[in-house]
Amino acid sequence: MKLKGADAFVRILKGFGVTDIFGIPGDSLGFYDALYRDGGIRHILVRHEQGAAHMADGYARVSGRVGVCDASSGPGVTNLVTGLATANADSVPVIAIATTSANKIRLRGNFQELDQPSLLESVTKAVIEIDQPERIPELVKRAFRVATTGRPGPVVLNFPLDVFFRSAEYEESDFACDAAFGRFPALRVRSRREDVTHVLEAVRAAKKPVIWCGGGAVMSGASAEIEAFAELTGIPVTTTYMGKGSIAETHPLSLGPAGQLGRPVTNQYLADVDLVLAIGSRFTNVDTANWTVPKRGVPMIQIDIDPTEIGKNYDVSHSIWSDAKLFLEELNAAARDLRWDGPRADNAVSAIRSTWLAERGIGSPQSEPVDDEPVHPLQVIRALREAMAPEDTLICDSGFNQIWGGQYFEVQRPGRHYVGPRGMGTMGFAFPAAIGAKVARPDGKFVALAGDGGFIMLLQELETTLRIKAPVVICVLNNSNLEYCKQAQRGLMGGRFISTDFTESNYSEIAKAFGCRGTRVTRSSQLAAAIREALDSTVTTVIDVVTPESAKPDGVAF
């Protein structure tokens, strides 16, 4: 059959289950026209390409399906960079469609032309050039395989403009797609049989072991298996922020998040563990408080889908290259045949959590709703947790808001109910990611928690969420400064503040100007009703919460 390149491309995207694409039109007219004529994929116009990448990212994280975004050549593509870097750092499969100058005029310094592959290679898993329409099926299939296997990540398809308009002969077999590569993880690697035996022997010999879970544990869907192994053995579980949801944080064996931005009490518990069973964690400087939690020299067994991550930041006593879910299934099967008579950590860990909740967490006096102004961030977290159902999802931005959410907002059931841009710490992420999540799961409820500094970066997507009828809740911690940076200047630079304060804005009124709902909260006693009404609303709501100029979470070193 003879088809234009754009029509062939749309057909194969559908073969991988693509139903939504986020982007902005430009010189990609041939592709957009094919989308229009086919009618099987919804294109969602966004108001900034960075928003498109974050929406595709959020879409993928909560659905397990590949997110797709597009941008036109030059400045459209450069605007994707931050979003793609975020997805790459957090191992999220996104397909980004980029256009560039037509083949016959490339490399002439054309309008909006730049070396896009060189620009994008450092922030993606791969950049694939498709300069002939005949190769569209082959190379698009490759892109989905690369994006969803091993450690997932974003892949760019770079199209010269003429490829969409040129026709080629295709066989029906060219469009036969393995739909498994439209989801992730698409291929699961199984470990060696002896690895299970080694882990069980090490765990049984340890006096104070811990299970350490990163984002790979959640991405693999291993939460039920992790909880089962913890309950069988009595071993406690700690997580990174990306690993939140590996186990319900209300579970008697949950220590909560560790590391530089984790709970100090969790780090104290980890100070004298004698075995770390690490699942899907890259052990970054922030996750480990600069590689002091856990301590170096503690025996570690590391399980990861990406063999290049094993032993990269800590010496490992035993390396296991495997999908987390598959390995834990085999581990549990073998562990059930054994007697587990050793000491259990349930009581000690439960006591740690109970004390922390009462003294520092959302059960503390600081978190109680009162009529005083302004609102403390911990009061916001308490109100969110009390109003949101266990299946609802909190999506954090970057800054102190993410620490308040990551450390104090407890995930009440296993799975992806907390999302944050941990690898890059990208300001502006939360709101567009929440829109993408809502598109992927229309029946879900998503709350974006952001500081005023981050929310304003992509608040123009208020128009997008209204137009496409994808209602989410945005809770803005409004203190008219870049608090993370300002606190660092206070603690590390002797209070010499520069470029961290800005004019107060009323984000509830800005929301109303876009046609969304907006409400301003100045007292914590107003939070419960405001959040409840926002969650029930059929349009996006901005809750503008006036917070103190400075309110520092526990564990911040400055």
Side-chain angles (χ1 to χ4, degrees):
M1 75 186 79
K2 192 171 187 178
L3 293 174
K4 287 183 178 180
D7 295 314
F9 182 43
V10 170
R11 182 169 175 181
I12 203 162
L13 287 174
K14 291 169 64 179
F16 284 105
V18 175
T19 57
D20 302 278
I21 299 175
F22 306 92
I24 297 179
D27 52 15
S28 48
L29 294 175
F31 172 50
Y32 276 63
D33 191 59
L35 289 172
Y36 178 87
R37 286 183 282 103
D38 179 86
I41 297 176
R42 176 171 64 156
H43 189 275
I44 295 173
L45 170 67
V46 303
R47 306 311 302 272
H48 193 283
E49 290 89 349
Q50 182 180 338
H54 291 325
M55 288 179 203
D57 182 332
Y59 182 103
R61 294 198 203 208
V62 304
S63 69
R65 305 194 300 273
V66 176
V68 183
C69 59
D70 75 277
S72 59
S73 60
V77 169
T78 64
N79 283 344
L80 286 178
V81 169
T82 298
L84 294 179
T86 301
N88 194 48
D90 290 347
S91 307
V92 181
V94 168
I95 297 293
I97 303 159
T99 51
T100 189
S101 296
N103 276 298
K104 66 180 179 180
I105 61 169
R106 289 185 80 177
L107 307 179
R108 294 186 180 182
N110 302 301
F111 176 65
Q112 294 188 330
E113 183 179 30
L114 46 77
D115 185 355
Q116 293 175 181
S118 294
L119 172 71
L120 298 168
E121 281 170 353
S122 68
V123 297
T124 59
K125 195 173 179 184
V127 178
I128 298 175
E129 293 257 21
I130 304 182
D131 57 6
Q132 300 294 328
E134 294 85 355
R135 300 196 68 189
I136 287 174
E138 168 206 351
L139 295 176
V140 175
K141 291 176 185 178
R142 182 185 301 176
F144 276 86
R145 287 196 298 271
V146 171
T148 58
T149 57
R151 180 184 168 195
V155 175
V156 175
L157 294 172
N158 199 45
F159 283 92
L161 297 176
D162 57 301
V163 174
F164 288 137
F165 291 100
R166 289 162 52 194
S167 296
E169 288 289 341
Y170 301 96
E171 299 294 331
E172 192 66 38
S173 59
D174 291 331
F175 300 101
C177 300
D178 185 345
F181 293 102
R183 304 186 66 87
F184 66 101
L187 295 179
R188 295 180 182 266
V189 177
R190 193 178 295 275
S191 70
R192 301 165 298 181
R193 289 188 177 183
E194 58 265 31
D195 289 330
V196 168
T197 301
H198 182 94
V199 170
L200 292 177
E201 290 175 351
V203 166
R204 288 166 69 84
K207 303 299 183 187
K208 190 180 179 182
V210 70
I211 301 168
W212 175 293
C213 295
V218 178
M219 190 173 297
S220 176
S223 298
E225 289 74 19
I226 291 166
E227 183 176 287
F229 187 69
E231 291 178 346
L232 181 65
T233 61
I235 301 174
V237 179
T238 189
T239 73
T240 65
Y241 279 13
M242 289 289 291
K244 283 172 70 72
S246 299
I247 190 171
E249 292 180 303
T250 53
H251 193 282
L253 286 164
S254 172
L255 285 164
Q260 182 172 315
L261 305 180
R263 297 176 187 170
V265 293
T266 301
N267 293 341
Q268 291 168 12
Y269 182 92
L270 296 174
D272 60 349
V273 297
D274 61 355
L275 177 69
V276 177
L277 179 60
I279 306 171
S281 176
R282 296 191 295 124
F283 290 106
T284 69
N285 59 320
V286 175
D287 293 336
T288 63
N290 291 309
W291 304 287
T292 62
V293 181
K295 291 180 178 178
R296 291 199 181 277
V298 175
M300 179 180 293
I301 299 170
Q302 188 172 0
I303 305 159
D304 207 283
I305 194 67
D306 183 355
T308 67
E309 292 293 338
I310 298 175
K312 185 170 76 175
N313 286 320
Y314 276 90
D315 287 334
V316 174
S317 56
H318 192 77
S319 305
I320 300 175
W321 179 24
S322 178
D323 172 80
K325 182 180 177 66
L326 289 185
F327 183 77
L328 266 294
E329 286 175 349
E330 293 183 347
L331 189 67
N332 282 324
R336 292 188 189 101
D337 294 333
L338 302 175
R339 289 187 61 183
W340 295 89
D341 298 326
R344 298 179 61 89
D346 310 60
N347 292 336
V349 170
S350 292
I352 290 170
R353 174 176 173 267
S354 296
T355 300
W356 176 82
L357 280 172
E359 295 180 356
R360 309 300 302 172
I362 60 173
S364 66
Q366 179 69 74
S367 72
E368 293 177 1
V370 295
D371 283 332
D372 296 342
E373 296 183 352
V375 182
H376 193 278
L378 191 57
Q379 295 170 320
V380 177
I381 300 302
R382 175 172 175 163
L384 287 172
R385 185 62 283 174
E386 290 177 349
M388 294 170 65
E391 65 271 17
D392 296 343
T393 303
L394 181 70
I395 302 180
C396 286
D397 213 70
S398 187
F400 274 5
N401 68 87
Q402 186 168 192
I403 307 174
W404 289 113
Q407 189 177 151
Y408 298 88
F409 183 91
E410 290 192 319
V411 174
Q412 295 178 336
R413 65 167 54 175
R416 183 81 79 181
H417 301 291
Y418 170 90
V419 171
R422 282 310 310 141
M424 280 288 109
T426 307
M427 294 177 67
F429 168 86
F431 175 36
I435 296 174
K438 185 67 175 180
V439 171
R441 286 174 38 204
D443 294 335
K445 292 191 176 183
F446 301 94
V447 177
L449 178 66
D452 44 356
F455 175 57
I456 201 169
M457 290 183 175
L458 286 166
L459 64 72
Q460 66 267 35
E461 302 301 346
L462 285 167
E463 189 279 328
T464 305
T465 183
L466 184 71
R467 172 172 26 88
I468 67 173
K469 297 180 173 61
V472 298
V473 178
I474 308 106
C475 186
V476 181
L477 304 182
N478 185 347
N479 62 359
S480 304
N481 71 85
L482 301 173
E483 188 177 1
Y484 191 99
C485 298
K486 187 171 184 178
Q487 184 62 41
Q489 290 174 351
R490 176 181 287 111
L492 303 177
M493 299 296 155
R496 295 184 293 277
F497 302 120
I498 180 171
S499 294
T500 51
D501 293 289
F502 45 82
T503 305
E504 180 181 357
S505 297
N506 188 322
Y507 296 100
S508 65
E509 293 301 319
I510 292 173
K512 293 174 186 176
F514 275 93
C516 298
R517 289 185 72 250
T519 183
R520 184 163 245 224
V521 171
T522 59
R523 296 178 173 86
S524 59
S525 58
Q526 302 166 336
L527 281 167
I531 296 170
R532 184 174 60 251
E533 291 169 5
L535 287 168
D536 291 340
S537 176
T538 57
V539 298
T540 287
T541 301
V542 173
I543 305 174
D544 184 24
V545 185
V546 179
T547 57
E549 178 265 341
S550 178
K552 189 171 71 169
D554 285 343
V556 176
F558 44 75

